[in-house]
Amino acid sequence: MLYAINGRDTRDSLAARAGARGEHVGRIQSLVDDGRLVLAGPMPAIDAEDPGPAGFTGSLIVAEFESLAEARAWAEADPYLAAGAWESVDVRPFVQVLP
């Protein structure tokens, strides 16, 4: 089943994001390699693809996992959470209707 993982950034998360980005993206690349990723990306704090110093408010990952427990465990082990870039992570089942 698909699960939506919503990581919510801490205030001034840019430095923490930068420090953990390589490991964070590497884990997501593993989902891509396994054919389990639907989409992933950050949510800019302003209406711009590159928000500069305004930073980000969070990230969204939609991927396939065996269970909600597995998706939560994967999300809770994310480097952004460990580095303090994310203050929390929410995981919910997701049903893709379109496309």
Side-chain angles (χ1 to χ4, degrees):
M1 180 164 189
L2 294 178
Y3 295 89
I5 298 168
N6 185 0
R8 292 183 186 92
D9 276 33
T10 59
R11 288 180 57 98
D12 302 318
S13 63
L14 282 178
R17 273 179 166 269
R21 187 174 191 279
E23 192 177 354
H24 169 78
V25 171
R27 292 179 82 235
I28 295 170
Q29 184 60 51
S30 293
L31 295 173
V32 172
D33 295 345
D34 293 343
R36 297 169 43 201
L37 184 73
V38 174
L39 64 88
M43 293 179 273
I46 61 173
D47 189 14
E49 282 190 35
D50 180 359
F56 300 92
T57 60
S59 301
L60 176 65
I61 301 163
V62 177
E64 183 179 350
F65 292 91
E66 289 292 321
S67 67
L68 179 57
E70 181 185 325
R72 282 186 176 147
W74 187 91
E76 289 170 0
D78 195 281
Y80 276 0
L81 195 58
W86 288 350
E87 66 183 6
S88 65
V89 64
D90 181 55
V91 181
R92 296 175 189 246
F94 179 81
V95 176
Q96 184 177 3
V97 175
L98 297 170

